[in-house]
Amino acid sequence: MSIHQRIHDHIQDILASDGPTEKSVEKVFDFLLHYRCLQLSNTIVHKEGTRVLGGPFAGMELVEPFNGMYAPHLLGCYEEELHDVVRGLPAAGYRHVINIGSGDGYYAVGLKRLMPEVAVWAHDIDPGLQQKCRLMAALNKVDIQVGGVFDPDGFAAHAGHRTLVWCDIEGAEATLLEPALSPALVGMDIVVELHPIEQGHTLDILPARFADSHAVEIIHPRGHMPFMPDWLRGGGQIHQLLAQFEWRGAATPWAVMRALTPAGV
């Protein structure tokens, strides 16, 4: 059976299950969007390889297989809103980086390449992603420590060191990043993605929690201006837009929180 026949049959299954409703149309749209993004990622790999093409992590090798939203990683425009922050990190004098919610290692490995002298710890609750992070580190010839769940008492091991916490844990930041439980956080710089949670949004919680100890900057999602290969830049606009699509279903701004009295300085 051809891929196009399988796509046709899956769409028919959606429509047969939910009927001709707005919900079924949204499911079909999401399915086709995911398929097109995956196809675009595969095209970029076929034409350009698996190295990041632009941005602060340009030249970093990525590990296949990719999911449907990996085109922004390949182009180097993933979370482009943070690129100025990332480019400024080498001058900050960090000795430790703790990447919590490290996924496949995009940031953990990227930051280690950017700051080779810094010790990097990568933590993720998914064993499969932990293994992928180790593979990406080996592929890029960098040494990082990869682990699982990171508990609040884990920050104490980094107390007294100039430390950056880079955190993306889908709302769990509301409970993990609590100076009352982890006093060492007061002296650490923190970059955290903020998410909707059952009680509202961590945008309404974390900046206020750290307001007395940190200078807090909120960065909101915006349009990107990525590097694109000529074949993509000269193609249709829909392909250029999908190449930047990050599958964000809700507002997820970032808090960049710099310690007023940083440890290890």
Side-chain angles (χ1 to χ4, degrees), residues 219-241:
I219 298 178
H220 292 276
R222 55 171 172 75
H224 296 173
M225 296 182 63
F227 167 84
M228 288 187 181
D230 290 342
W231 62 267
L232 182 56
R233 190 170 296 283
Q237 187 179 30
I238 185 64
H239 296 158
Q240 296 173 16
L241 292 172

Side-chain angles (χ1 to χ4, degrees), residues 39-117:
Q39 189 180 48
L40 184 57
S41 294
N42 290 338
T43 300
I44 294 173
V45 171
H46 177 73
K47 290 180 175 289
E48 307 292 338
T50 56
R51 285 191 177 186
V52 177
L53 297 176
F57 297 154
M60 181 171 67
E61 286 281 0
L62 304 182
V63 176
E64 297 184 88
F66 304 131
N67 62 25
M69 66 172 216
Y70 232 81
H73 297 73
L74 291 162
L75 293 179
C77 66
Y78 180 66
E79 297 186 348
E80 189 177 88
E81 298 88 343
L82 298 178
H83 282 189
D84 286 344
V85 174
V86 172
R87 290 189 178 100
L89 297 179
Y94 296 115
R95 306 310 304 166
H96 292 186
V97 170
I98 314 169
N99 183 198
I100 309 169
S102 53
D104 62 6
Y106 188 79
Y107 275 111
V109 174
L111 294 176
K112 180 65 176 180
R113 291 179 76 250
L114 197 65
M115 301 180 287
E117 73 286 356

Side-chain angles (χ1 to χ4, degrees), residues 112 198 210:
K112 180 65 176 180
E198 186 175 343
F210 285 89

Side-chain angles (χ1 to χ4, degrees), residues 49-228:
T50 56
R51 285 191 177 186
V52 177
L53 297 176
F57 297 154
M60 181 171 67
E61 286 281 0
L62 304 182
V63 176
E64 297 184 88
F66 304 131
N67 62 25
M69 66 172 216
Y70 232 81
H73 297 73
L74 291 162
L75 293 179
C77 66
Y78 180 66
E79 297 186 348
E80 189 177 88
E81 298 88 343
L82 298 178
H83 282 189
D84 286 344
V85 174
V86 172
R87 290 189 178 100
L89 297 179
Y94 296 115
R95 306 310 304 166
H96 292 186
V97 170
I98 314 169
N99 183 198
I100 309 169
S102 53
D104 62 6
Y106 188 79
Y107 275 111
V109 174
L111 294 176
K112 180 65 176 180
R113 291 179 76 250
L114 197 65
M115 301 180 287
E117 73 286 356
V118 176
V120 175
W121 286 261
H123 288 266
D124 200 280
I125 62 174
D126 186 327
L129 290 176
Q130 294 170 30
Q131 180 59 20
K132 200 169 182 181
C133 183
R134 293 186 184 97
L135 290 174
M136 188 182 292
L139 187 62
N140 287 275
K141 298 180 173 59
V142 297
D143 183 23
I144 62 177
Q145 302 297 315
V146 180
V149 174
F150 190 91
D151 294 318
D153 58 6
F155 293 111
H158 303 272
H161 299 278
R162 184 78 173 102
T163 299
L164 170 67
V165 176
W166 195 282
C167 183
D168 180 2
I169 49 176
E170 308 301 325
E173 62 270 11
T175 54
L176 179 64
L177 301 180
E178 173 55 85
L181 298 176
S182 309
L185 283 169
V186 171
M188 298 177 177
D189 290 352
I190 303 167
V191 178
V192 54
E193 186 170 309
L194 304 170
H195 300 87
I197 56 175
E198 186 175 343
Q199 299 83 1
H201 202 295
T202 57
L203 175 62
D204 302 319
I205 299 171
L206 287 183
R209 183 180 293 171
F210 285 89
D212 291 339
S213 59
H214 289 69
V216 178
E217 176 187 5
I218 303 299
I219 298 178
H220 292 276
R222 55 171 172 75
H224 296 173
M225 296 182 63
F227 167 84
M228 288 187 181

